[in-house]
Structure formats: C-alpha cells, structure tokens
Amino acid sequence: MNVLVGFEDGQVFSLDDTGVIRRSTGVPSIIIVRELTKEKLQDYASRGMKVFPCDSDEKECLSLVLNRVFPQCKTCKFA
C-alpha cells in the first residue's frame, strides 16, 4: 500500500508501507505545509487533503509523515 504526499511547491512523493519513499506524480492525499494558516487549512481540506505542518527539511518531513501513516516502519529508504 502507498500514500501520495505533496509539498506546496508541487513536488509529490509516494510513501510505501515498506518504508520506501520515491518521487511520484498524481494528486496527493496529504500536503506538507511549512507555515499553516487558516486559509491554507480550509483550502486543502475543501480539496480532500490532509494537512501536515512541518518546517524541517524535505527528507525529515517525509520521514515524519511516513512514521505517522505507517507506524510499523522504523526506517525509511529514499529511492
């Protein structure tokens, strides 16, 4: 099973339940935002996306989301 996660700049990554993270395409179900505002939250929620605030670097944010979505993954592998 995998989940598509995107950043506000349009980059999309696929998170796999095996812990593999790779670049992907498509409409993400989770969006990572650097600075959360009420407007952003309402906009993404209206499009059916979950919002994950994170102001760390890209890999750290993706690792945090992976561990939240798939808690059984103790390590992640960037492909």
Side-chain angles (χ1 to χ4, degrees):
M1 184 174 124
N2 64 15
V3 173
L4 291 180
V5 176
F7 285 90
E8 292 179 282
D9 64 4
Q11 292 185 84
V12 177
F13 293 85
S14 173
L15 307 184
D16 195 78
D17 60 0
T18 61
V20 175
I21 299 172
R22 62 175 49 96
R23 286 196 185 274
S24 188
T25 58
V27 178
S29 58
I30 300 172
I31 190 83
I32 297 172
V33 297
R34 300 278 182 217
E35 188 177 319
L36 185 60
T37 64
K38 184 178 178 182
E39 291 78 19
K40 285 182 186 180
L41 186 61
Q42 289 174 337
D43 177 47
Y44 291 125
S46 71
R47 293 192 269 164
M49 297 178 183
K50 293 184 173 138
V51 177
F52 189 89
C54 182
D55 61 359
S56 299
D57 66 50
E58 183 180 277
K59 287 186 176 185
E60 180 67 20
C61 290
L62 289 168
S63 297
L64 290 170
V65 173
L66 177 75
N67 290 328
R68 183 69 54 97
V69 175
F70 301 116
Q72 73 276 12
C73 291
K74 299 304 176 204
T75 61
C76 54
K77 303 170 265 311
F78 288 88

